[in-house]
Amino acid sequence: MLNFCLEGTRRVLLLFYLLSSSVKMATTRYSRLRRAISQRGPMFKTVIVLAVLVSVYFYYRFSVRGLRWYQWPYKFNDKFQDMQCPRPKAQLQAIVDLTHSAHRVFGSLGIVYSLSYGTLFGALRYEGPVPWDADADLIIMKKTIDKYSLSDLQKAFAAESVEVSYFSYGGFYLLKKNNATCDCFLFSDFYGSGWLHRVGWESYLFFINYRYNHVFPAALMETPLPTLNFGGLEMYAPRDGWTIQKYHYRDDWDQEVKPPQCPRNVTGKFLHPPPPRT
């Protein structure tokens, strides 16, 4: 008992020493920095303050406006600028085939998924991919897929001739089949708050964007989920249909945002019309 108390006291003193040293070091460096700035005069201080303000402004603008995934690629990505609209039927069918493969595999493994983002728009408007879509998007409930390793998923998808990769920065699995791709984004209620958040360290780096565009009520993913027709197959979708799009596309969830090269006659039929704005 005495040895236990002595060891505990030693660890507490060591922790206190380390914290004191860290605070002292930080204070010393801060003092040196202030001294260096003061020696350079008021102009240097003004430049530093302006640089910080400009950095904060552009970070905010880039986070909130610049990372709208359904708008920025058409301006900055050659792949999207040269994309046909409408895309060839064979390419759209490849997207449909891949999502159907995902439906079968996730269903067999008990993994909860749903259509999401642009793919959900496609199901609501066309009952298939939007004519200019480049890939498919799915939501995956993290707690239902965590029990499987990447190798487990690769083996399961091998029967469907689908390649599987995982990208930790964005917290998503990438499925590939016949030149079609599908992003499977993991969501979790990390804080027990009743709201689902995207997984991945990118969501911390660009937290403003992710809090603004990638958070929605967990109730929308409560099972059993409803289904929507996507390419001839009933696939799972979030509850209340359009509601989740109000969180992902806050300004234009009830509009059709097309790339500039799309002809006017390429437009959705609104097979499942959006509700009126309130």
Side-chain angles (χ1 to χ4, degrees):
M1 184 65 180
L2 180 61
N3 290 336
F4 177 78
C5 292
L6 291 174
E7 177 63 18
T9 302
R10 187 184 71 83
R11 293 192 178 191
V12 170
L13 291 174
L14 178 60
L15 178 61
F16 179 76
Y17 171 76
L18 292 174
L19 289 175
S20 300
S21 300
S22 299
V23 171
K24 184 178 179 180
M25 184 182 300
T27 303
T28 302
R29 290 184 176 179
Y30 176 70
S31 299
R32 291 177 180 174
L33 179 61
R34 286 191 61 184
R35 196 179 305 118
I37 292 177
S38 62
Q39 291 174 354
R40 291 178 179 269
M43 182 60 70
F44 184 75
K45 295 180 183 179
T46 303
V47 171
I48 292 296
V49 171
L50 288 176
V52 171
L53 292 176
V54 169
S55 299
V56 170
Y57 171 78
F58 278 106
Y59 174 79
Y60 176 79
R61 293 290 296 179
F62 183 72
S63 292
V64 175
R65 297 294 179 184
L67 286 181
R68 293 279 175 97
W69 63 94
Y70 60 104
Q71 292 176 339
W72 73 265
Y74 304 119
K75 298 179 181 178
F76 304 110
N77 192 320
D78 291 338
K79 172 186 173 183
F80 285 84
Q81 289 178 350
D82 298 334
M83 187 176 69
Q84 293 176 279
C85 181
R87 291 169 64 87
K89 291 184 178 180
Q91 295 179 10
L92 295 176
Q93 186 59 45
I95 294 176
V96 170
D97 293 342
L98 178 55
T99 57
H100 290 185
S101 294
H103 170 82
R104 288 189 288 268
V105 174
F106 288 145
S108 67
L109 298 177
I111 295 171
V112 177
Y113 85 89
S114 81
L115 303 172
S116 66
Y117 298 122
T119 305
L120 179 57
F121 271 138
L124 291 168
R125 289 182 170 135
Y126 297 87
E127 295 188 346
V130 293
W132 56 87
D133 213 349
D135 62 2
D137 301 303
L138 300 178
I139 287 173
I140 301 291
M141 292 300 292
K142 183 177 183 296
K143 62 183 179 181
T144 66
I145 201 173
D146 275 350
K147 57 186 175 182
Y148 299 104
S149 66
L150 178 59
S151 60
D152 292 334
L153 295 173
Q154 289 171 335
K155 291 177 183 177
F157 274 100
E160 296 279 347
S161 301
V162 176
E163 301 176 19
V164 185
S165 306
Y166 180 71
F167 296 88
S168 58
Y169 74 91
F172 67 93
Y173 287 93
L174 179 66
L175 310 181
K176 290 183 179 182
K177 179 182 180 181
N178 296 333
N179 295 322
T181 60
C182 176
D183 296 325
C184 302
F185 300 102
L186 305 189
F187 279 79
S188 179
D189 184 0
F190 291 111
Y191 313 107
S193 60
W195 292 82
L196 293 178
H197 297 254
R198 275 270 296 271
V199 175
W201 59 260
E202 189 179 63
S203 64
Y204 294 95
L205 180 61
F206 298 107
F207 67 92
I208 297 176
N209 175 268
Y210 277 78
R211 290 292 187 276
Y212 191 76
N213 293 316
H214 302 278
V215 177
F216 59 89
L220 299 181
M221 285 297 293
E222 287 183 359
T223 55
L225 291 171
T227 61
L228 286 172
N229 184 345
F230 189 80
L233 179 68
E234 291 294 315
M235 299 188 64
Y236 293 112
R239 290 180 172 273
D240 300 326
W242 287 90
T243 301
I244 194 172
Q245 303 297 62
K246 297 179 182 180
Y247 294 93
H248 288 159
Y249 305 84
R250 292 177 180 271
D251 301 327
D252 48 17
W253 59 271
D254 56 348
Q255 303 171 30
E256 191 167 53
V257 180
K258 299 187 296 185
Q261 67 267 36
C262 270
R264 288 187 176 182
N265 62 342
V266 178
T267 183
K269 301 175 183 178
F270 285 96
L271 299 176
H272 304 271
R277 293 200 176 205
T278 56

